Structures are given as structure tokens and as C-alpha cells.
Amino acid sequence: MQSTVDGFSYGMVTPVVAFLMACLGGALGLRCATRPLVVTRSWRPGWLALGAAAIASGIWTMHFIAMTGFTIEGTPIHYDRVTTLASLGVALVMVGIGIFIVGYRGATGTPLFTGGTITGLGIASMHYLGMASMSLDGTLEYDTLTVAASVAIAMVAATAALWAAGQVRGFLWSVGASLVMGLAVTGMHYTGMAALEVHVHGTAAPVEGESAASLLAPMMLGPIALLVLAGVVVIFDPLMIMGRSGPAPAEHKPGVPAHHRHQHSSSPNRLRPRARGPVEHRSRTPQKR
């Protein structure tokens, strides 16, 4: 029989907290991913990897925070540990691919479209794999058109967030990009949940897996710790927050001391030879008067 599905058993508490977690992951991740664009001499692979990990952690924690408010009448909900971890791994890999494409090719044109599409597909894949980790006395069915709409929302919003982050125009642009990323994740999640129908078997058979309280709470410690780490990095690097360019690196010339390079770079006119007028040649023979 078809059962009643409630995604708001705690009211608006879980949707709001989930949205804030998605925005936090997006804000930290996008700032880290664009760090090589605003600060010179940055190790690009490391910053892009940290940014992708922060975004994926925000996506994953958002999903399962929202799922704590999800109940199905007539059956308890348990989760499979392996599939739940696999959903986090999929988010890390696919978001990482999208971030690296934009980080190396730029947030315009084909790279932006490709990176945004892969990132959006990573968000959707994480969601539906996380839903597949549920174990209950029933079967899940999805409306195809609504599922397609949820995937489209994820791809479009993720592309818009990567574009806004790539503009590097200051703090407000960073906030806007994080809000768009949060909208991509939560909008995709609740649109996907609207596509769900549950048919409960009513057999009263024991449900396999682990409860949300015993499984999800400990597993969230890792992603949340990673978000804290990314937050500390961003806080102690104010140029990343404001989106301002760092100082240009000094030109390295072998054999020239550092202070001389600094003086030469700050006073380029000293390197230029002074222009002189025509040289007057005087004859050594005395002139007759």
C-alpha cells in the first residue's frame, strides 16, 4: 500500500539547517577553489582539492541533515553503511572533476559548461545514491519528469555558482555564489524528494541496516571537521575573502640579491640609461683669431 511521506517532521528546522550547511560548504569550497586567481604563488592542485572536498562535504551533510526530518508512515528507516559512504565518495570525485576543469580552464565558455554540468551531476548522483542507501519495509518509486527537473536544477545552479565564484569581484560576489550553490543542493534535494512515492509492504519484517542516529551522527564528524579546517584556512587568509589580488611575484634573476631585485622592481627608471645630447668635439689645435 502507498504510505505517507513526510520530509518535514521537525518543521522548518531541518530544511533551514541543511540549507545553511550547503551554503557553508559552497562558500568555503568556492573560495578555496578560486584562491589561485586572487593570490599569487598558490599551489593550485592543493587548493582545488580542498575546495572540492569542502563543497562535497557540504552537499553530503546537507542531504543527511535533511533526511533526519524524513519519515515514512508504517516503517522505520535504516541506512546501509557502505552505500552511504559510497555516496560521499561519488560527491568527492565528481565535484572534484568539475572544480578542476574550471580551475585550470577558466570559468567561461565550454570549461564552465562542462565543469558545472559534472558538478551538478555529482550533486544529483550523491542524492540518489544516498536515497538508495535507505533500508525499509517497502519499495521506492520516482516520477521520471520530476527527477529530470531535479537534475536540471542541480546542473544550472552549479554552473551559475561556479561562474559567480570565477568572477573574483569581492566579498558580495562570494556570498552570492555560496547562496546559489546552497540553492542548487537544497533545491535539487527537495525536488527529488517530491518525485518519491513509497509503497509499504506491511510485513513487519525486521529492517536491515543501521538507524540514522547510530550511523549518520558519527559519520558526519569527518565532513564537518573538514569544513572547519577549510574555514580556518579562509579566515586566516583575508585576501581570499575579499577577492583582492596579491602582490606580483618578484622576478628571479640568478646572482642578483633579493634587495637589489626589490629596488630595481620598485624603481624601474634607474635601469634606464640617461639620454644625452650630441657630444661636442673640440679641436686640440688652436684657432686663429
Side-chain angles (χ1 to χ4, degrees):
M1 63 178 179
Q2 185 172 348
S3 180
T4 302
V5 177
D6 185 8
F8 305 94
S9 58
Y10 294 104
M12 293 303 296
V13 174
T14 50
V16 170
V17 175
F19 174 73
L20 292 177
M21 289 301 299
C23 290
L24 176 63
L28 297 176
L30 293 173
R31 278 292 82 193
C32 291
T34 56
R35 207 255 190 193
L37 300 178
V38 298
V39 180
T40 57
R41 291 183 176 179
S42 294
W43 186 44
R44 183 179 297 182
W47 286 108
L48 294 177
L50 180 59
I55 293 174
S57 297
I59 295 170
W60 193 85
T61 53
M62 175 271 150
H63 173 85
F64 285 104
I65 287 175
M67 291 305 294
T68 58
F70 178 75
T71 57
I72 299 174
E73 184 181 3
T75 179
I77 301 174
H78 289 181
Y79 293 89
D80 178 70
R81 180 180 295 270
V82 175
T83 312
T84 302
L85 284 174
S87 66
L88 177 59
V90 166
L92 287 169
V93 172
M94 296 192 69
V95 172
I97 293 173
I99 291 296
F100 269 76
I101 290 174
V102 173
Y104 275 94
R105 299 296 181 181
T108 56
T110 302
L112 174 63
F113 175 78
T114 305
T117 299
I118 294 176
T119 301
L121 290 175
I123 296 171
S125 300
M126 183 272 129
H127 171 83
Y128 288 108
L129 189 56
M131 295 297 293
S133 68
M134 292 193 307
S135 177
L136 50 91
D137 184 25
T139 57
L140 306 180
E141 294 182 0
Y142 292 94
D143 179 70
T144 304
L145 292 179
T146 311
V147 169
S150 69
V151 176
I153 289 172
M155 291 190 299
V156 171
T159 302
L162 292 176
W163 173 82
Q167 301 307 302
V168 195
R169 294 182 180 177
F171 180 72
L172 293 179
W173 279 81
S174 301
V175 173
S178 64
L179 291 176
V180 173
M181 182 61 76
L183 180 65
V185 180
T186 54
M188 184 273 143
H189 175 87
Y190 285 103
T191 304
M193 298 303 293
L196 177 65
E197 290 185 359
V198 180
H199 298 272
V200 176
H201 298 156
T203 60
V207 178
E208 298 179 356
E210 303 177 50
S211 65
S214 61
L215 175 65
L216 298 181
M219 290 181 65
M220 285 185 183
L221 294 178
I224 290 176
L226 195 147
L227 289 175
V228 171
L229 173 63
V232 171
V233 171
V234 171
I235 289 173
F236 284 96
D237 197 342
L239 289 176
M240 292 170 59
I241 300 176
M242 303 308 297
R244 296 174 182 173
S245 299
E251 182 182 2
H252 175 69
K253 294 182 179 180
V256 181
H259 65 277
H260 286 298
R261 292 199 302 269
H262 177 73
Q263 291 176 357
H264 291 168
S265 61
S266 61
S267 302
N269 292 332
R270 295 181 182 180
L271 299 177
R272 300 176 182 175
R274 295 182 179 178
R276 296 182 180 179
V279 179
E280 182 181 358
H281 296 280
R282 295 182 180 179
S283 176
R284 293 184 179 180
T285 58
Q287 299 180 355
K288 296 182 181 180
R289 295 182 180 179

